[in-house]
Amino acid sequence: MRDTSFDQLDDLYQEVILDHYRNPRNRGEIPSPHVSARGFNPYCGDEVILALNLDDGRRVDAVAFSGQGCSISQASASILTELVKGKSLAETRRLSQLLRSLIHGDELTDEELDLMGEMEALRGVRRFPIRVKCALLAWATLDDGIEEYEGGQ
Ligand code: ZN
């Protein structure tokens, strides 16, 4: 099946997304992770499974993802794993909110864009509402996993 999702994005952003799609970072599993969650996007058939381990200071120590789906969903998960490493749970939540703001077209400060890193490549999906769920899937899955983890403390 041909994946046309990236045909719709700007060239600059395509490059980042394709790179993460073809060479996913931190793909795999973590045995008995502190935080784990599975997300599914029925509109596109995307699946993302995230696993995190936290250190003593409750910062993300190890992170891995698995799953399958379109290039945007899998690239977003790959970028997520790079961004959240070393972050506190509050900081990961902030990143998730920033991505939503970016996709919804809000103005972000330079400092906020710095925090986003390569996640900014997902900015282009805002023009394609059907793709927004693909881009947000990994982050929504992370939010669910953290909420469950914190609820169990
Ligand atoms: Zn998708």
Side-chain angles (χ1 to χ4, degrees):
M1 193 176 77
R2 200 167 111 81
D3 183 343
T4 57
S5 55
F6 48 79
D7 292 347
Q8 302 166 327
L9 298 176
D10 298 337
D11 289 349
L12 174 69
Y13 297 143
Q14 278 187 29
E15 217 167 284
V16 173
I17 290 167
L18 279 180
D19 177 49
H20 276 272
Y21 181 56
R22 289 177 178 152
N23 309 294
R25 322 298 200 266
N26 305 301
R27 195 169 170 87
E29 282 162 36
I30 295 174
S32 322
H34 293 128
V35 177
S36 68
R38 173 185 177 271
F40 184 65
N41 169 19
Y43 298 97
C44 188
D46 307 319
E47 179 191 41
V48 169
I49 298 152
L50 279 175
L52 273 73
N53 264 341
L54 307 174
D55 65 17
D56 293 343
R58 299 224 302 166
R59 286 184 173 270
V60 177
D61 189 33
V63 52
F65 85 98
S66 56
Q68 56 196 340
C70 72
S71 58
I72 291 172
S73 69
Q74 302 304 302
S76 177
S78 173
I79 296 170
L80 177 153
T81 63
E82 290 207 305
L83 275 182
V84 302
K85 213 174 263 186
K87 299 282 197 302
S88 69
L89 296 181
E91 286 166 341
T92 66
R93 253 195 307 269
R94 173 146 190 244
L95 284 170
S96 176
Q97 284 159 3
L98 284 177
L99 178 63
R100 283 166 217 272
S101 299
L102 182 81
I103 288 177
H104 291 144
D106 299 344
E107 285 289 325
L108 298 189
T109 65
D110 288 347
E111 184 236 340
E112 288 170 333
L113 287 173
D114 274 355
L115 287 174
M116 304 278 307
E118 289 185 308
M119 200 55 87
E120 198 187 345
L122 296 167
R123 180 199 283 272
V125 304
R126 76 167 69 139
R127 288 178 288 126
F128 309 98
I130 195 82
R131 292 289 169 199
V132 169
K133 283 186 191 302
C134 304
L136 291 177
L137 177 65
W139 291 91
T141 304
L142 179 68
D143 289 344
D144 287 349
I146 289 175
E147 197 173 308
E148 194 186 314
Y149 169 78
E150 293 191 320
Q153 288 296 290

